[in-house]
Amino acid sequence: MAPKTLTLTSLFFRRFSGSSSQSCGCRKMHSDVKLKDPFMLAQKDLKSLYEDIRKELFVSKEELKFLCDYYFDGKGKAIRPMIVVLMARALNIHSNRSGDLLPGQRAIAMISEMIHTASLVHDDVIDGSDQRRGKTTINEIWGERKAILAGDFILSAASMALARIGNITVVKVLSQVIEDLVRGEFMQLGSKENEKERFKHYLEKTFKKTASLIANSCKAVSILVNSDPEVHEIAFQYGKNVGIAFQLVDDVLDFTSGANQLGKPSAADLKLGLATGPVLFACQQFPELHAMIMRRFSSKGDVDRAWQYVLQSDGVEQTNYLARRYCQEAIRQISLLRPSAERDALIRLTEMVLTRDK
């Protein structure tokens, strides 16, 4: 590992994770704990999630209903609502209550998936994508106008469900998610000339577009059960760190997995003009990438050359290392809660983020 790369990685990890921890191992902290399967523990609470979302999206106009139901077919990974459900139950136990979900907490799990899916619908329009989750995108089948309206309608239904929870603080916290999604999308349209500013820009964008939803959803379920700001911060920091790690791994998979595994074309980010972690790290070893990044890989042959530079560099390795650091911090945060099966399932889920292949 090059000293310069290690220094840069550590610098930005400390800045964006909220920790100065130097350890990067996830498993070793809990080698003596039999960690629970998060999918099994959350299955009961998630079983009717998509059915309830489809009820929220009930409309008389058949075409709009079909558009909105298209991605809520129960075949997604449901990672975000799973994290929210497990966090809620862990927090309930930590707060001397039963582990059962409060109605508002379950609503937040549902809302998180609705906001996430609406953002995907809009992202596909912006990116001109034709594949999502192994399916043809809404914009490809029905056109951009109807796709935008479908995304808007899903967001409006999520907003109505949020209002019914009846907690102003929760409304404020989850409204921040929508603002962050928009700001993150604007950040993705730009780049920075300076190397350090560019990496800071990338991590801020990653938080706003991906991690903010998980972090603020976790914080929202904590607000409903516990008045302690320190507990709210634990929930937020867990979601923030695991969310950033999830996206870092996603950026790695764009270089290491085939289209069949990802459900979208590989090298998709390069083709969209996006410089993600592997490219930014590779730029330290291959300065030729700098000009390509600034012109967003728009010249003929840029995508192929950038791909080769990344594969010849340690960009993938360094991005994976950074993801491990964020996972380590997520585990450190969630371990501050009282022991429970749900807390341990969140630890297991964090470790699974690093080993996923799609």
Side-chain angles (χ1 to χ4, degrees), residues 68-84:
C68 293
D69 288 352
Y70 186 66
Y71 287 141
F72 298 114
D73 56 6
K75 296 178 181 177
K77 296 187 290 289
I79 294 295
R80 289 155 188 83
M82 185 186 306
I83 290 173
V84 175

Side-chain angles (χ1 to χ4, degrees), residues 131-134 250 254 258-266 268-269:
Q131 289 289 311
R132 168 73 67 179
R133 295 175 174 174
D250 205 57
D254 201 46
N260 289 337
Q261 287 173 291
L262 288 179
K264 61 181 180 180
S266 55
D269 292 331

Side-chain angles (χ1 to χ4, degrees), residues 9-23 203-204 207 211 233-234 236-245 248 322-333:
T9 306
S10 300
L11 171 68
F12 285 106
F13 169 74
R14 288 197 296 270
R15 178 177 295 178
F16 286 93
S17 70
S19 170
S20 59
S21 171
Q22 295 299 310
S23 175
L203 289 176
E204 285 183 351
F207 170 74
E233 187 64 12
I234 289 169
F236 179 88
Q237 288 298 330
Y238 172 82
K240 172 185 174 181
N241 281 279
V242 80
I244 292 176
L248 289 171
L322 189 57
R324 288 197 299 274
R325 296 292 299 275
Y326 279 104
C327 282
Q328 170 68 16
E329 179 59 17
I331 290 173
R332 190 184 74 81
Q333 292 287 342

